[in-house]
Amino acid sequence: MPRSIWKGAISFGLVTIPVKLYSATEERDVSFHQVHAEDGGRIKYKRVCEKDGKEIPYSEIAKGYEAPDGRLAILEKSDFDDLPLPSTKQVEVVQFVDADEVDPTYLNKTYFLEADGPGAKPYVLLRDALSKSGKSALVKVALRNREQLALIRPKDDLLVLHTMLWPDELRDGEFAAPPADVTVSDAEVKMAQSFIDALDADFAPEQYHDDYRAALEEVVNAKLSGAPMPTEEGETEGADAAEVVDLVAALRASVDAAKKRREQAAGSGDAKTG
C-alpha cells in the first residue's frame, strides 16, 4: 500500500471529514544515471557557493528571492512553516460546481482521498451527495508549502482530488491560433467527420501501451545481459481525528448559516442601492 503524502480534514459546512491523501498516478519512464562512458563511474555534482567557492551542505542552504532591483530576500524553513495558511491541514469547500464547467487545462495532479478514523460516514455522505447532485466541490488546500485550488469529485467508491492551476498560471494561447483568413469547405469538414466516425469508440485506456518505453527496456535488458554483476552493494503526517457528530443536524445548521449569509449579502446590496 502506498504511503499517504498528507493528512488533514475536509470542512463540509459544519461537518468535518478526516482524510489521508495518496498520489493517484506514478511515472513509468525508464530512469537513467549520468555516468562516465569510459568506466561507468557515476557523475556527481557539488553545491558550490559562487562567492567563496566552498561546497555547501544541505543544512546551510536557504531559498533566496531576488527582486528586480537586485535586493535579495533569504527565506528559511521556519519562514514557510509560519505562514498563516488555514488550508495547511483543513480543506475548505468554497463552492460546488458542475464538473464540466472546469476547463481541463486547469487540472494539474490527481490524488485519492481516504477516510481517516471516524471520517468514513461523512466521507460516504459527501461522496453520495456529489454523485446524486452531479456536482464537484471546489476547495482550497495547501500541499508542499503551496496553497492551491482543487476539485473534489466522486469516482466509483472513492473521492478523488485534482489540484488546479491558478488562472494567472494559464498561458494565453491566442498566438497559436491559425490566421483568421484560413477557411475550409463544407466538403472538407464532412470528410473529416467521416474519418472521426470511422474511429469513434468508447474510451478504453487499457488498450494503449507505451511502445517507446517497451523498446527502450528491451535495449536496456540486452545491455544488462552482457554486463558484469557489481561486486559492491549499491547505495542503497496531520490533523487529529475529528469527532463524529450528528450529520443531519450539522448539515441543517450549515444550510441555515449559508442562507443567513445570502440574506445578509442581499440586504447589504439593497441598502447600497436604496
Side-chain angles (χ1 to χ4, degrees):
M1 179 176 176
R3 293 178 58 184
S4 64
I5 64 169
W6 184 89
K7 184 177 180 181
I10 299 172
S11 177
F12 176 38
L14 298 182
V15 177
T16 299
I17 311 173
V19 292
K20 293 179 180 179
L21 197 68
Y22 299 86
S23 179
T25 60
E26 57 183 342
E27 297 292 335
R28 291 287 190 176
D29 288 341
V30 179
S31 298
F32 294 97
H33 297 299
Q34 288 189 322
V35 298
H36 186 191
E38 184 176 316
D39 57 18
R42 290 277 295 275
I43 304 300
K44 301 291 186 179
Y45 293 91
K46 295 182 178 181
R47 299 171 298 276
V48 178
C49 175
E50 66 176 2
K51 289 190 174 181
D52 58 23
K54 294 180 180 179
E55 185 175 358
I56 309 300
Y58 271 118
S59 59
E60 297 180 16
I61 295 179
K63 294 182 182 294
Y65 175 82
E66 185 173 356
D69 59 10
R71 289 177 300 164
L72 183 68
I74 299 177
L75 280 71
E76 300 177 354
K77 183 178 182 299
S78 59
D79 294 313
F80 294 97
D81 293 340
D82 295 339
L83 287 175
L85 284 181
S87 53
T88 301
K89 290 298 178 185
Q90 192 80 6
V91 180
E92 182 183 1
V93 176
V94 296
Q95 189 179 353
F96 293 98
V97 299
D98 291 330
D100 57 7
E101 286 184 43
V102 180
D103 188 327
T105 311
Y106 279 99
L107 303 183
N108 191 7
K109 293 185 178 180
T110 303
Y111 298 90
F112 295 134
L113 286 167
E114 178 190 34
D116 188 21
K121 185 169 183 177
Y123 180 104
V124 171
L125 170 66
L126 178 58
R127 181 199 67 193
D128 291 356
L130 290 175
S131 294
K132 291 183 178 180
S133 63
K135 298 288 184 179
S136 295
L138 190 67
V139 304
K140 272 189 172 184
V141 59
L143 297 175
R144 298 184 176 94
N145 294 322
R146 183 171 185 257
E147 187 175 59
Q148 300 178 76
L149 280 176
L151 197 70
I152 294 177
R153 67 177 182 86
K155 183 180 183 298
D156 302 325
D157 293 332
L158 294 175
L159 287 173
V160 295
L161 181 145
H162 303 281
T163 55
M164 299 170 61
L165 300 171
W166 294 103
D168 60 2
E169 293 179 311
L170 300 187
R171 292 176 175 171
D172 183 356
E174 187 62 31
F175 70 91
D181 58 354
V182 176
T183 61
V184 294
S185 67
D186 291 342
E188 289 169 326
V189 173
K190 287 182 180 179
M191 183 59 67
Q193 288 177 319
S194 297
F195 178 72
I196 292 172
D197 292 340
L199 293 182
D200 184 35
D202 294 332
F203 179 52
E206 66 278 0
Q207 296 180 358
Y208 303 98
H209 308 280
D210 188 343
D211 295 329
Y212 177 83
R213 189 181 80 205
L216 191 56
E217 287 175 344
E218 286 188 16
V219 173
V220 169
N221 290 330
K223 294 276 188 177
L224 290 176
S225 65
M229 292 294 292
T231 56
E232 297 180 359
E233 293 185 2
E235 297 179 359
T236 57
E237 310 175 285
D240 295 331
E243 180 183 356
V244 176
V245 297
D246 185 332
L247 297 180
V248 174
L251 288 173
R252 184 180 294 116
S254 300
V255 172
D256 291 342
K259 287 181 177 178
K260 197 172 195 178
R261 284 196 299 271
R262 287 188 177 180
E263 290 172 358
Q264 290 174 344
S268 62
D270 292 341
K272 290 179 181 179
T273 57

